[in-house]
Amino acid sequence: MYRTNTCGELRLSDTNQKVVLSGWVQKARKFGGMIFVDLRDRYGITQLVFNQDINAQLCEKAEKLGREWVIQVEGTVAERSNKNPNIPTGDIEIIVSELTVLNVSETPPFTIENETDGGDDLRMKYRYLDLRRTPVRSNLELRHQMTFATRTYLNERKFMEIETPVLIGSTPEGARDFIVPSRMNPGEFYALPQSPQLFKQLLMVSGFDRYFQIVKCYRDEDLRADRQPEFTQIDCEMSFVEQEDILNLFEGLTRHLFQTIKGIDLPAFPRLSYSEAMKLYGSDKPDTRFGMTFVEIKDLTAGKGFGVFDSAEYVGAICVPGGAAYTRKQLDELTDFVKRPQIGAGGLIYVRYETGGNIKSSVDKFYSPEDLQQWTERAEARPGDLLLILSGKTEKTQKQLSELRLELGARLGLRNKDRFNCLWVIDFPLLEYDEELNRYFAKHHPFTSPKPEDIPLLDTRPGMVRANAYDMVINGVEVGGGSIRIHNSELQKKMFSILGFGEAQAQAQFGFLMNAFKYGAPPHGGIAFGLDRFVSIFAGLDSIRDCIAFPKNNSGRDVMIDAPATVSQEQLDELHLKIELPEE
Ligand code: ASP
């Protein structure tokens, strides 16, 4: 028997028990005639003691132990004189009577403790060692708890988990596909699914009624902290439902997860229309942990000779509580922040509402104190507050103001990771116009249903049509999104034509779906959650990488197994592939 107990289990009440433990040597230290070893396994750390006076031979053996050696010990549980309140086993130690070395280890390339000296690259290269560290392992434990609780919740509500294929066909909409050459069909390619969207809709046509799958999805996009080339969705679809049914059921799932895993009871999720979200926050995924919502002041600024505002389509302000005390340097920093190319504002105007009641601004030349007072009144500013103002084209400026709002929220410590503000953003536009390509794209995806009352607008003002589409947002992160689908083949055909697909192309790409819809498709809809993002929010992580066992780096590489990599000429020949690399 390798062990009677785990390294996280023994307590004061176990004193005097004979036990056997196995695990890894986290560290060993000598203290007079004693050797103390921290023995670690997945469940925790237990202190072992070897005493020179009791067993000199054993002590000699223990002295040779190195970091990360795998050992088995037999001994007796004893109360510790020097207790460690930071770990659950901190009241006891094991007086060792027998030691077996199960395996030796080379010195690990970084220390395997909560705080490590290993840089990111090194830890990724030796990810299997990094995963021994408690903070990393506990993220994966949390992930497991969340998927397990999700499966239970959905199973109790009659959802069936059904696997859909990973080798499918490439579709032109959405992100870039990863493609896989087919050996048996020379010159032809599979694509990896960006999501099981079409399959889950077909499962509804098949009558499965409630489907879910915790499933890998693949998108060949540029990577960021919240994006990986392969990521996991909690993917769901339901028949005979309206938007309201889906919002209720999945708000329920989210509350269930917060309740069972974090012990937090969330209030009902507020709902915000897309247009309100843009107007108030300049974002369709607003961080609602703090206020500082936008105030439009274009009408109050016009006609006073300030050309920048006069020529702007939009003039918007945010009110920074206590911001009047900002120094010149702090204001310059904020100006530099909005002028960075990623944000692209031309400049930043400020109005200081000083605690004494005076109002001073960077545009005093054009506006009287009375003018400025109107602005502060509209923004409900109080003495001591600061207005920050951006102007320009509406959408662009709202986006810039949104970035500024988030930056200030962070600076003011208002984006507390222990607070969770969830909401639904609803009534998304169905279509989005791409000025460069001169065509409409589906804002969500081409299978999303327009709101029935907006269908007549499809022919006249397609840009105005709203969709039965919704996103769940937590703390400024889009954790889930979905829609009620089109279930009528004629409407689906029309949607493809608005998206610029010729009849033949639509038939070639999506013919199977339109055909399926001819055989009694039920009304249906669904949603998908990004599991990685969901877990990172629960764990308060900055990057989704930290809750993925074996993630890719920002160049899409797995540095541990060194992939992607070249393949042999034979493999390429078999696939009829010729590789021509661009000259350096
Ligand atoms: N398949 C969609 C997505 O990946 C989600 C959905 O509409 O259910 O975003």
Side-chain angles (χ1 to χ4, degrees), residues 194-195 197 200 219 233 235-237 444-445 481-483 485 526-528:
Q194 297 187 24
S195 84
Q197 186 61 36
K200 67 174 173 175
R219 295 182 192 174
Q233 284 190 343
D235 190 45
C236 308
E237 197 74 8
H444 185 51
H445 51 55
S483 59
R485 325 298 183 190
I527 190 166

Side-chain angles (χ1 to χ4, degrees), residues 142-154 157 214 234 236 249-266 269 420 422 472 474 479 529-535 537-539:
L142 172 69
R143 187 180 176 111
H144 162 73
Q145 285 171 356
M146 289 179 73
T147 52
F148 197 80
T150 299
R151 284 199 164 94
T152 308
Y153 179 92
L154 293 174
R157 284 158 186 78
I214 297 185
I234 304 170
C236 308
L249 203 132
F250 290 96
E251 183 166 325
L253 168 65
T254 308
R255 297 158 71 98
H256 174 75
L257 293 176
F258 272 101
Q259 168 55 243
T260 53
I261 290 164
K262 292 192 85 71
I264 295 175
D265 274 316
L266 292 173
F269 296 8
F420 301 95
C422 309
M472 185 188 287
I474 306 181
V479 291
F529 287 88
L531 177 67
D532 313 280
R533 288 183 189 174
F534 216 164
V535 178
I537 287 178
F538 268 56

Side-chain angles (χ1 to χ4, degrees), residues 153-393:
Y153 179 92
L154 293 174
N155 178 57
E156 280 168 0
R157 284 158 186 78
K158 298 206 159 44
F159 282 79
M160 270 175 74
E161 185 161 18
I162 303 174
E163 289 170 79
T164 52
V166 171
L167 294 175
I168 64 169
S170 182
T171 55
E173 286 293 295
R176 199 180 292 113
D177 283 323
F178 278 103
I179 57 170
V180 180
S182 163
R183 178 184 56 82
M184 287 191 280
N185 305 275
E188 294 188 323
F189 297 84
Y190 301 101
L192 304 183
Q194 297 187 24
S195 84
Q197 186 61 36
L198 292 165
F199 292 96
K200 67 174 173 175
Q201 291 193 239
L202 293 173
L203 288 171
M204 295 303 106
V205 178
S206 307
F208 280 97
D209 199 60
R210 291 181 165 204
Y211 142 97
F212 86 102
Q213 187 179 188
I214 297 185
V215 61
K216 274 290 177 72
C217 301
Y218 309 85
R219 295 182 192 174
D220 189 1
E221 295 176 305
D222 291 336
L223 306 178
R224 296 193 305 233
D226 63 350
R227 270 204 201 140
Q228 283 272 307
E230 50 178 304
F231 60 97
T232 306
Q233 284 190 343
I234 304 170
D235 190 45
C236 308
E237 197 74 8
M238 305 166 80
S239 291
F240 305 112
V241 285
E242 292 170 342
Q243 173 166 308
E244 197 56 34
D245 301 307
I246 296 189
L247 299 192
N248 286 333
L249 203 132
F250 290 96
E251 183 166 325
L253 168 65
T254 308
R255 297 158 71 98
H256 174 75
L257 293 176
F258 272 101
Q259 168 55 243
T260 53
I261 290 164
K262 292 192 85 71
I264 295 175
D265 274 316
L266 292 173
F269 296 8
R271 296 180 187 180
L272 203 60
S273 71
Y274 172 85
S275 66
E276 278 174 294
M278 294 310 290
K279 209 171 146 58
L280 293 174
Y281 300 96
S283 166
D284 59 5
K285 44 177 169 42
D287 185 344
T288 54
R289 280 172 297 183
F290 63 104
M292 261 195 250
T293 47
F294 297 2
V295 185
E296 284 173 36
I297 55 168
K298 165 80 189 167
D299 56 316
L300 301 179
T301 63
K304 305 280 172 159
F306 185 45
V308 176
F309 282 178
D310 285 346
S311 63
E313 184 183 22
Y314 174 91
V315 182
I318 53 174
C319 175
V320 187
Y326 279 20
T327 60
R328 180 81 242 171
K329 185 163 163 263
Q330 281 172 305
L331 289 169
D332 287 346
E333 264 171 32
L334 291 172
T335 308
D336 290 342
F337 174 81
V338 296
K339 282 177 149 178
R340 294 188 323 182
Q342 303 93 303
I343 300 191
L348 179 66
I349 304 291
Y350 68 82
V351 179
R352 266 204 185 104
Y353 192 176
E354 293 176 347
T355 36
N358 284 342
I359 303 183
K360 295 229 173 69
S361 79
S362 52
V363 283
D364 281 347
K365 252 204 283 179
F366 303 97
Y367 298 99
S368 68
E370 292 73 35
D371 293 333
L372 298 174
Q373 193 175 346
Q374 286 189 324
W375 306 2
T376 57
E377 270 167 21
R378 178 161 305 166
E380 292 175 19
R382 287 184 308 199
D385 292 351
L386 173 77
L387 297 193
L388 293 174
I389 304 167
L390 292 176
S391 62
K393 291 286 264 180

